[in-house]
Every structure is written in structure tokens, then in C-alpha cells.
Amino acid sequence: MSCWNGTKTRAYLRSRSKRPDWVRPDFGRRRFLVAGSLAAVAGGAGASVSRAEEGNSLVPEWTRSLGAGVDASPYGMPSPYEADVVRKNVDWLTPTRESSVNFTPLHALEGIVTPNGLCFERHHAGAAVVDPSAHRLLLHGMVDRPMTFTLEDLLRLPRISRFYFLECAANGGMEWRNAQMNAVQFTHGMVHCVQYTGVPLRLLLEHAGISDKAKWLLVEGGDGAAMTRSLPIDKALDDCMIALFMNGERLRTEQGYPLRLVVPGFEGSMWIKWLRRIEVGEGAWQTREETARYTDLMPDGRARRFTWEMDCKSVITTPCPENPIARKGTNLLRGLAWSGRGMIAEVHVSFDGGRNWRHAKLEGPVYDKCLTRFFLEDWSWNGEELYLQSRAVDSTGYVQPQMAALKKVRGVNSTYHNNAIQTWHVKPSGEVQNVRLG
């Protein structure tokens, strides 16, 4: 191994600068193009130079003192300048805070992973604080061997890790009759996406030995509401999971600590938190949450039931009401798409309320039943009025519908499963407003 000193290094660099053979022929041109794009974004070379000189002459206060030590915040927190990036609720939405919901700030996030502290919450009797040493999971009913699992039992079993989105069936429910909430956090924020780690439900069922006649499971939570849903056994054996971790850390209290059921692609009420009991049986249990709730009331008075899968959906998160357009010229257009039936295959964007469409690019990774980020390149705004829409297509060929088409399937009295195309009205001022067309 050769030893390099400073003199030898400088000589080497000088020789390389004379013969830059490691530079690809197009490198210089690409660098020029990038610089040109940045100048266009700045919106005026003279003003930018002036601001740069002014900024360079300032010495910020925080460079003149020591910062906090490494143990000042043993569990890391966001910068205080990001204090407005938090979950928010709507006071009038539910009669009590214990049965309420708050919303993920989609407009302020990037990528596809939601930080654990920003995942929306929906409870039916408040968040239960469960002692993990006393918690038990009972598996019984039509099985050969009824079993009870402690948390330590589950932690010794083989685990898997998967990225999945979780969406409340009522996400967008306030928008059924017309555009109402002027913020993407409130129109679409009952969704989040994390990496879950846990034990496949199939493994527990195989340990217990399920009867050939078994067709359904009853899954029950350990909260004050004893939230209970019927789950088809085919789904349970396919991809369901008893989750113990999310994004690498143990589940948070509001997300079902110490364990919750993960039901990929199904509405969030099926993802039972603080899971305490699984009963195996022949038929659905017809619980309150699948008869009086989580159904679609049709015009003839009948209710559509057991519509668990979350349909393909998308929304533009920049621009949006919280992210207005600040200036003319090159701008960002980014959004999120997801489907409970598979992967996102395509996303289209319209600037004129759905008369013409452009293909957006998908930003990897693109996973099954997971949020997918999309964006448009080379988009420039000249100050004209726009009606922005996005339309997602999933791997089954399902196309996200306009609201008029959705009402023909779901009726006009529904609260759940609003996956209609969203319209943002961009005004000449750059402000963005939630509107309904047609």
C-alpha cells in the first residue's frame, strides 16, 4: 500500500486536472443544464446575486455558541422550526375526543414513509395503555389446540417486515356531498404508510390447527370499545400479520401497543389495535361495526356491506391548499397514490379539470399495497388559472373514478370509501383551493 502525503496528493490532482479522462463527454453539458435550471427557479440572476452577497455577510448567532449535548433529547425530536408539522383534528367531527380522529400532515412529508409520530389516529374509546407483561393473545374457536400467547412468546417466533399503507374507510368522508375542507391534511390525511414487522397470522393459525369448516375469524381489541370485526380466513392466511414494530421501533400506544393486526389493503377498522382475541368460526359475526357502521346506504334503503378493500386513489400534495405556488416558472408537482388491490401502475395529471391528461412519473420504490410517490418533470406555471387533478391506475387495471361515477356505485349517502378524483383550483395569485367540478 502506498502512502500519500500532501505534496504527492496535490501533484496528483494537478495532473488529473490537465487530463480529466474520468469525466464523461456529456458531463460538462449536464452541469450547464443543471445550473441553467437552478437559475430559472431563482427567478432572476440579479436579485439572486444581491441576496447571496447579503447572506454571506451575515454571521448567524448559532455559530457563536455551543449547541445542546447528545443527551439533551434522548429520544430525538423534530426541529422547533417544524413545530407546525403535527397531526390535527377537526373539533366538530365527533361528539367526544375519545372517539375522534386526527389527520396526517401529508403536505409536509416526503417519500413514502410516514414518521411514527405523525401517523393519524382513530379510536373508538380512546388509546388504551396496555401493560405488555400482563397482555395475552387468545386464539380459540374451531381449532385443534386453543392457545394463549404472551408477548414474549410472540417475540420468539419468526418475523417478517413489509411496507403497507393504512387508510381509514372514512378518509375523505367529509367530501362526499361537496368540497368542504380546504386542506389536503383534512381531505386525505387519514392514511399513513410505515414498515411493519411482526409474526405472520398464518403461523399462529397453523400452530393452533384450524378446522376445515372454518371460514371466518373474529378479531377483538383490548381497548374500552372492544373493537371487533369479522375477517375472512382466506385473507388471514394470505398476508395478515401480528405487528410488534413499526418503522423499526415498538408500536406506539396510539397505534395499538403492544400488538395490532395488520390487514394489508383493507380498511383501517379491520386492523385491530391492542389485539387480545382471535376466534375461529364458520360465519361472520355480524358485529355492530359491520351492520350499523362501515356500510354504504344505497338509494333504495339497502346497505352494501363487507366492502373492505380500499380502492385505488391519488392526490396531489404539491401544489395543494397548504402549499400554494409561490412564483411563476419552474415548479414542483408531486403527489401520492395507493391501492388496496395491488401496486400503482400509472398516475395521470390534468391541468384543465380532466379534459386532457399527462403521464406522471412514479418514484420508486413501488410496492404492493403501499403509498407510491409520483411527480411531473419540466412543469412550468405561467400564472394562468388551473384545475389540477390526478388519476391513478392500479395493477388490476382499476382506474380512479370521478365523483359522479363513484356515486353510482356507493350511493349518495355514504361516508366511506371516497376514492374520487380530487380537484385543486389554482388561482392566478398562486393560492390553491379545494373545489368540486360538475
Side-chain angles (χ1 to χ4, degrees):
M1 178 181 295
S2 62
C3 180
W4 288 67
N5 56 35
T7 301
K8 192 173 181 180
T9 301
R10 286 191 292 274
Y12 173 77
L13 292 175
R14 282 197 298 273
S15 69
R16 298 298 292 180
S17 67
K18 293 176 182 176
R19 294 179 58 83
D21 54 354
W22 49 272
V23 178
R24 293 197 303 272
D26 64 339
F27 180 84
R29 179 174 177 273
R30 291 176 58 195
R31 186 166 54 183
F32 172 79
L33 292 174
V34 171
S37 299
L38 292 176
V41 170
S48 298
V49 170
S50 175
R51 287 196 296 270
E53 291 176 345
E54 179 185 352
N56 194 41
S57 67
L58 299 175
V59 179
E61 183 64 28
W62 52 84
T63 66
R64 301 173 182 173
S65 60
L66 297 176
V70 294
D71 290 329
S73 180
Y75 200 103
M77 297 294 291
S79 163
Y81 294 97
E82 300 296 323
D84 61 329
V85 182
V86 293
R87 296 179 290 218
K88 296 178 181 176
N89 73 339
V90 178
D91 288 338
W92 49 262
L93 192 59
T94 56
T96 68
R97 291 186 179 278
E98 290 79 8
S99 63
S100 191
V101 59
N102 57 24
F103 298 78
T104 301
L106 295 178
H107 61 284
L109 303 180
E110 261 303 337
I112 61 171
V113 176
T114 311
N116 289 344
L118 296 178
C119 292
F120 80 94
E121 300 175 50
R122 168 73 172 108
H123 311 310
H124 291 73
V129 179
V130 175
D131 178 354
S133 66
H135 192 65
R136 300 289 184 271
L137 172 61
L138 171 64
L139 174 54
H140 68 125
M142 297 177 67
V143 296
D144 298 333
R145 295 172 293 279
M147 306 183 78
T148 301
F149 299 90
T150 67
L151 191 61
E152 291 302 316
D153 292 334
L154 296 173
L155 286 168
R156 285 197 295 269
L157 295 175
R159 303 175 196 168
I160 57 174
S161 295
R162 300 285 187 275
F163 287 95
Y164 291 122
F165 79 84
L166 189 168
E167 183 179 20
C168 178
N171 196 20
M174 293 181 284
E175 302 289 304
W176 261 100
R177 296 185 181 276
N178 212 333
Q180 181 170 214
M181 306 301 292
N182 204 38
V184 70
Q185 183 165 8
F186 296 129
T187 60
H188 291 75
M190 281 195 275
V191 65
H192 60 70
C193 184
V194 305
Q195 184 190 47
Y196 291 99
T197 300
V199 180
L201 180 53
R202 166 190 285 272
L203 191 62
L204 303 190
L205 294 172
E206 288 176 346
H207 274 308
I210 54 177
S211 165
D212 292 338
K213 296 181 180 178
K215 301 297 181 187
W216 292 81
L217 304 181
L218 181 73
V219 287
E220 179 181 310
D223 58 333
M227 182 67 180
T228 312
R229 294 298 305 265
S230 301
L231 176 68
I233 202 160
D234 288 344
K235 179 66 175 176
L237 294 171
D238 180 20
D239 57 3
C240 291
M241 175 198 306
I242 308 295
L244 303 163
F245 299 83
M246 53 190 290
N247 288 337
E249 70 174 13
R250 296 297 294 273
L251 292 174
R252 297 200 169 188
T253 296
E254 65 270 25
Q255 300 298 334
Y257 178 88
L259 52 98
R260 81 174 307 172
L261 185 64
V262 168
V263 190
F266 278 26
E267 59 192 32
S269 63
M270 308 283 284
W271 300 45
I272 298 296
K273 293 178 283 191
W274 315 286
L275 182 66
R276 64 168 294 273
R277 187 168 74 92
I278 300 174
E279 184 176 352
V280 182
E282 284 188 274
W285 270 258
Q286 313 293 345
T287 69
R288 171 185 179 275
E289 310 299 341
E290 51 212 29
T291 53
R293 299 289 185 272
Y294 299 101
T295 60
D296 304 323
L297 181 61
M298 305 303 290
D300 63 1
R302 292 183 300 167
R304 294 178 80 242
R305 301 173 54 205
F306 299 123
T307 54
W308 313 284
E309 287 182 317
M310 301 307 295
D311 292 322
C312 185
K313 191 171 181 178
S314 69
V315 65
I316 295 171
T317 55
T318 302
C320 71
E322 299 99 318
N323 293 326
I325 303 177
R327 60 177 64 86
K328 297 178 184 178
T330 302
N331 270 281
L332 284 175
L333 191 150
R334 296 174 65 76
L336 291 166
W338 59 97
S339 173
R341 293 192 172 89
M343 300 172 67
I344 291 298
E346 297 178 9
V347 177
H348 313 138
V349 172
S350 175
F351 294 90
D352 54 13
R355 286 193 290 269
N356 298 283
W357 295 92
R358 288 178 56 181
H359 280 264
K361 287 197 172 183
L362 304 185
E363 183 178 273
V366 179
Y367 294 138
D368 184 65
K369 303 179 182 66
C370 181
L371 291 190
T372 297
R373 179 70 65 173
F374 67 86
F375 65 100
L376 268 190
E377 289 182 321
D378 304 325
W379 177 58
S380 182
W381 183 57
N382 61 10
E384 65 180 340
E385 194 174 46
L386 303 174
Y387 289 91
L388 283 177
Q389 296 183 342
S390 63
R391 179 179 68 188
V393 182
D394 70 18
S395 51
T396 70
Y398 178 93
V399 181
Q400 185 182 359
Q402 296 282 359
M403 177 54 85
L406 182 63
K407 285 183 175 178
K408 292 181 181 178
V409 177
R410 295 278 181 187
V412 297
N413 298 310
S414 184
T415 301
Y416 307 108
H417 294 266
N418 176 8
N419 69 319
I421 290 173
Q422 172 67 44
T423 305
W424 300 133
H425 175 209
V426 180
K427 302 178 181 179
S429 64
E431 293 175 281
V432 181
Q433 188 173 11
N434 177 22
V435 298
R436 174 74 55 81
L437 298 182

